[in-house]
Amino acid sequence: MLRIFGTRRVPRETVHHVTRALFAFLLNLGPLGLFGLGVADSSFLFAPLGNDVLLIGLVVRKPEVLYALYCAALATAGSVLGCLVVDLIFRKAGEAGLDRHLPRKRLDYVKRKVNRNAAWALMLACLAPPPFPFTPFIMAASALEYPRKRLLSVVAAGRIVRFVAVAVLGLIFGTRILQWSSNETVQIFLFALIVLCVGGSIASAYGWIRRNRKVAEAGVHS
């Protein structure tokens, strides 16, 4: 039995089975799975490191340079499309929309960074791993009317650099990564990541529905 997050015990066989089954499903989707995950993670779902892990898995399974670049390009395209969805919503919602969707401390921090130098703030958000926030920077840039073409261009540049770097790591350390994948600690990490992604996505979707419902009700009563 293994203790996950220090509270509940999960049988090792369950960890092994769930991790392998879900990862195999995503791998079987191929680069299109990367594209879909990129759209979801860059908009309103929650999948920290999901694209990076899946990208490495695909490259390890098929260690070819052109294929690795293709995967990185699709992951980038998905991320840009997800950012476009966020931009379409928050450019219309304006700063009032930010107040409804971000905690005050995070909102102040993000707005300060975007106002100071939006391009560099966006680039850092694209390159930095979790827990550095990404989507809040896209929300703020859109709400503050940072030019859409420039926003998407910066996101595309930052994401392609990140995903190409991840793909290269997969090509270089492919054999070692395959050996690590059978390690119990790695499987526990992946299982915990899956639980975190599912739980975070449910919470994120619920929060969006709840906040938008309150906004709609306020509009009706006014």
Side-chain angles (χ1 to χ4, degrees):
M1 301 285 282
L2 299 173
R3 187 176 291 276
I4 303 297
F5 301 133
T7 53
R8 298 191 61 183
R9 291 184 177 274
V10 180
R12 293 182 182 182
E13 295 78 9
T14 301
V15 173
H16 182 75
H17 178 73
V18 171
T19 303
R20 287 180 62 88
L22 186 55
F23 198 59
F25 171 74
L26 292 173
L27 282 176
N28 288 333
L29 292 177
L32 290 180
L34 272 174
F35 177 81
L37 192 59
V39 175
D41 183 43
S42 295
S43 51
F44 306 115
L45 295 185
F46 186 74
L49 296 177
N51 259 332
D52 301 291
V53 173
L54 182 56
L55 176 56
I56 289 176
L58 288 170
V59 172
V60 167
R61 190 171 69 168
K62 188 177 179 180
E64 299 175 4
V65 174
L66 289 180
Y67 180 74
L69 294 177
Y70 173 61
C71 289
L74 274 188
T76 300
S79 185
V80 171
L81 181 56
C83 291
L84 177 59
V85 173
V86 174
D87 178 80
L88 291 171
I89 294 173
F90 279 89
R91 195 169 295 274
K92 182 178 179 180
E95 291 193 51
L98 287 177
D99 291 332
R100 294 194 299 268
H101 290 279
L102 292 178
R104 172 52 57 181
K105 282 188 177 180
R106 174 167 286 191
L107 175 59
D108 292 341
Y109 170 78
V110 170
K111 285 174 65 175
R112 187 168 60 252
K113 293 295 184 181
V114 170
N115 282 323
R116 185 177 302 170
N117 195 322
W120 281 109
L122 288 168
M123 181 63 71
L124 179 60
C126 290
L127 295 172
F132 193 89
F134 173 67
T135 304
F137 277 90
I138 306 300
M139 292 177 177
S142 300
L144 298 173
E145 299 186 358
Y146 186 72
R148 177 177 293 159
K149 288 184 179 180
R150 197 175 302 171
L151 185 154
L152 297 180
S153 296
V154 172
V155 170
R159 286 312 212 190
I160 194 65
V161 169
R162 172 174 171 168
F163 290 134
V164 166
V166 171
V168 169
L169 289 176
L171 289 171
I172 295 174
F173 299 105
T175 303
R176 194 171 300 175
I177 291 172
L178 284 175
Q179 295 173 349
W180 289 343
S181 64
S182 59
N183 182 274
E184 182 178 289
T185 302
V186 173
Q187 290 193 4
I188 293 172
F189 167 76
L190 291 175
F191 182 78
L193 183 63
I194 291 168
V195 173
L196 180 65
C197 290
V198 172
S201 295
I202 292 173
S204 178
Y206 174 76
W208 271 90
I209 293 172
R210 184 179 179 183
R211 286 189 292 269
N212 289 333
R213 184 177 297 171
K214 286 183 177 180
V215 171
E217 290 176 351
V220 170
H221 291 312
S222 61

